[in-house]
Amino acid sequence: MAQLRQRYVLTQSQKMMVFILSMSLYGLSNMITELIPSVRLGPIELSVEYFAFIPLTLCILFHPFYAAVGAALGEVIFGEIMLGQFGGLGELEKFIAFSLAMFIAGTLVNDPKNRRQVGVAAMTGVIIHQFISCTVDIAKVWIGVEEFEAVPGLAQSVVVVEGVAFLNDVLFSGILFALLPTLYLVPRLYGKIEPLLGMKPRNNKMKYSLGEIIAPRLIVVSIILALLAAVAEFLSESDMALMEWDADYLNSIGGWFVWVSIGAAAVVACLTIWVLVRRGKRSRTAGTGI
Amino acid sequence: MEYVRKLMDRVSVEGVKIELLNTAYGNGDTFFARLDPRTLFLWYLYFGIAPWFIHNEVLLLGMFLFMVVTTILSRVSPLIILILCLGLMSQVGYLFIVSWLFSGGGEAILPLLKLTMKLSVISMASITAFCSMDPERLSDGLLRIGVPKQVSFGIAYGYRMLPSLVEEYHHIFLSFRLRGVAPQRHGMLYWRSIVYFLKIAVLSFYPLILSIAKRTRTTVEALEAKGFSYAYHSPEVKRIKLSYMRFTMRDAVFLVVSGLYVMMLYVLAAQISI
């Protein structure tokens, strides 16, 4: 048993192979889906959101962590930067949501030949990803529109629009472009593609060493991200409060409030730079790859 | 459906490839392309985050105008601008129609307009910052601020490999069409043809996955022969690689002018209250 567990420890270059494979394949597919036009039937948009079957297949066949991170990076590079649609910090959210969903889907499968397991994992992955992005989209409008609740009909309409999009993506893209192709591809590729990368196929008794996946690095990064999110949340709350307060007193007090606003922006900027620098140092000293 | 056919003629694989390379390498001589990547990141950090938390119309309008100027200066391709406009309009317009159904009426216009303005400021800032850097500068800049090396490698690799990957996919797709049987009738709203093409688009990935796997192995072996993993761990290599980056007067002027402009906007916004 101990030997079986040992077997799936990948070498540095094997990790790199899984990473590059997943990145280029999913990136390419992303580019193709960007070019397919969407058909809109009233409120239901029948569009090919993404070819989720590629990262799902790779996460099931190979080590899910490297495949998931590679796919998410491929989306950012091919689908966003190269097409000139890079959203900057907004991409961070997509990256995290997508790699998390695909990673969970990959870990759910023990035996790639078991079709039921593969199907359940594929749908779970799509649902998790769509749920996260739907929630984030609602939150975006919430932050972006002042007095969100005060505008009649806006809160309901955002929820309805996002809910319809969620159902559409899960039922249409999820079944046609995640479930069916994954069920087709995984059993066919299992045992054929691994030798091309110089690896053994995943064993159904195999377990990931969770300690390796949930490395300190991952924990640190997620804590930092959670903190950043909390800070952003807090800032937005306090900013809104300041704005209300500002409307009454601005005329009498004068322009000093401006500096509070500038200061808040500066704090956000400095904090982000600090985090990036720290992350850079950490990766230099620790030197453990992704 | 005539319109669809015309569109499909225009969107050829060759055209897409050329447009991509244009986006990547087409504007190396603009003002922004010669700035240090770190300056652009710093600049983007403000214009990419701050608009979310600003609810003042004067301030937003001023930022919007500034972004329009920078976007024009960075000379991005009209296709990107078109995609941006379509995306903004479809998202916000749709939201407006649905809120109207929920008896929102005219009150929803102003907040949604503000939301559009915020979104467009943020996206134009990212277009200015990221489309005007060519891939090498972008990946070096990211490496410099501490992003893992895989990311910068991925960007360089993506730009290098993409044209050949697209070509390979296109060949497989064409050979599926050559050997397969296209549907006799198009069906209502062309659904038979659409289903047929989508099915081929998915099936084409099966051979592609295997051939990219082989290609990946070759790539990684070549990388290892050049000592990629060793270089990855070595700070000295990184220092030498990035030693050409330095801040110049140009960067300082750009940051100071942007800063002064934003400050002026704040003062202006405090004077005028709507």
Side-chain angles (χ1 to χ4, degrees), chain B residues 172-231:
Chain B
I172 296 172
F173 190 84
L174 287 181
S175 65
F176 261 100
R177 281 186 72 183
L178 203 62
R179 285 177 293 166
V181 182
Q184 291 286 320
R185 287 169 294 127
H186 290 303
M188 253 245 293
L189 285 173
Y190 273 57
W191 75 271
R192 277 178 215 275
S193 310
I194 291 173
V195 167
Y196 173 68
F197 277 112
L198 284 179
K199 207 174 150 197
I200 293 183
V202 171
L203 285 178
S204 302
F205 271 98
Y206 178 67
L208 193 71
I209 289 175
L210 294 172
S211 81
I212 291 189
K214 268 163 86 178
R215 202 191 281 260
T216 304
R217 190 171 184 190
T218 318
T219 308
V220 170
E221 278 167 358
L223 279 177
E224 289 310 323
K226 287 176 79 179
F228 180 82
S229 316
Y230 176 73

Side-chain angles (χ1 to χ4, degrees), chain A residues 7-8 61-62 112 189-195 198-204 206:
Chain A
R7 195 182 279 173
Y8 208 69
L61 289 175
F62 297 107
L189 285 173
Y190 182 65
K192 284 202 191 79
I193 188 169
E194 292 90 347
M199 293 176 203
K200 283 192 173 128
R202 246 174 88 161
N203 193 300
N204 60 359
M206 178 273 302

Side-chain angles (χ1 to χ4, degrees), chain A residues 108-176:
Chain A
L108 283 179
V109 177
N110 285 326
D111 175 15
K113 284 201 162 152
N114 184 341
R115 270 167 192 265
R116 190 191 293 164
Q117 254 184 24
V118 172
V120 168
M123 283 318 277
T124 316
V126 173
I127 289 172
I128 292 174
H129 175 230
Q130 290 303 333
F131 181 73
I132 295 176
S133 55
C134 161
T135 321
V136 169
D137 279 350
I138 293 176
K140 266 186 196 162
V141 179
W142 200 304
I143 295 176
V145 176
E146 193 184 16
E147 295 155 357
F148 180 69
E149 300 286 0
V151 181
L154 191 58
Q156 294 95 315
S157 58
V158 172
V159 172
V160 167
V161 167
E162 292 302 331
V164 169
F166 173 75
L167 280 182
N168 169 35
D169 286 342
V170 168
L171 293 180
F172 185 71
S173 293
I175 291 176
L176 282 184

